[in-house]
Amino acid sequence: MARCVPMSRLQGVLSGKWKILILWYVAFYKVQRFGELSRRLEGITQSTLTKQLRELEQDGFLHREVYPEVPPKVEYSLTPMGESFIPVLRSMLAWSEANLCPPGYVNPYESSE
């Protein structure tokens, strides 16, 4: 059977323990700073967050805006390609709520968009 190139490429982009959550938080909050993401992603190391943000930027999902301030201010937002991925994130959330969450689970992010 031939390899499914589109799915293989998507797996390459999303590989990394934190990338789906990074995309989810940036999509939900529209703009996220490094420290905000670090606090939301409990357990992630600074080097891992930096690496995964850079990879998502290189893959065209995130835009990195650096402000010339002291201390430096850096904000991350979705690119148009990243925004086009929001329906996929919503589908993943709905599926995981239906199949992986305990009965009675209430999504604290349900009131988004």
Side-chain angles (χ1 to χ4, degrees):
M1 175 182 266
R3 187 171 122 216
C4 181
V5 174
M7 291 303 285
S8 180
R9 301 234 13 229
L10 181 60
Q11 181 184 15
V13 169
L14 296 179
S15 66
K17 179 177 178 179
W18 303 98
K19 286 184 180 178
I20 291 172
L21 279 173
I22 290 169
L23 289 171
W24 173 254
Y25 286 125
V26 175
F28 183 81
Y29 291 103
K30 308 296 184 219
V31 173
Q32 284 287 274
R33 292 177 64 185
F34 186 91
E36 293 170 326
L37 284 168
S38 183
R39 283 187 293 280
R40 294 185 200 292
L41 301 168
E42 189 176 319
I44 193 169
T45 65
Q46 190 170 355
S47 62
T48 298
L49 180 55
T50 298
K51 180 179 185 285
Q52 294 199 3
L53 286 167
R54 284 183 183 155
E55 289 172 359
L56 286 166
E57 183 183 7
Q58 289 169 353
D59 289 328
F61 280 75
L62 292 182
H63 170 72
R64 181 177 184 257
E65 184 73 33
V66 181
Y67 296 90
E69 300 176 3
V70 177
K73 177 180 168 182
V74 179
E75 293 181 338
Y76 295 90
S77 59
L78 295 177
T79 63
M81 186 167 76
E83 289 177 4
S84 74
F85 195 68
I86 291 173
V88 177
L89 290 169
R90 287 186 180 141
S91 292
M92 292 169 70
L93 175 66
W95 184 90
S96 63
E97 285 177 330
N99 295 284
L100 301 175
C101 291
Y105 171 79
V106 176
N107 178 0
Y109 299 99
E110 211 163 63
S111 64
S112 71
E113 290 91 24

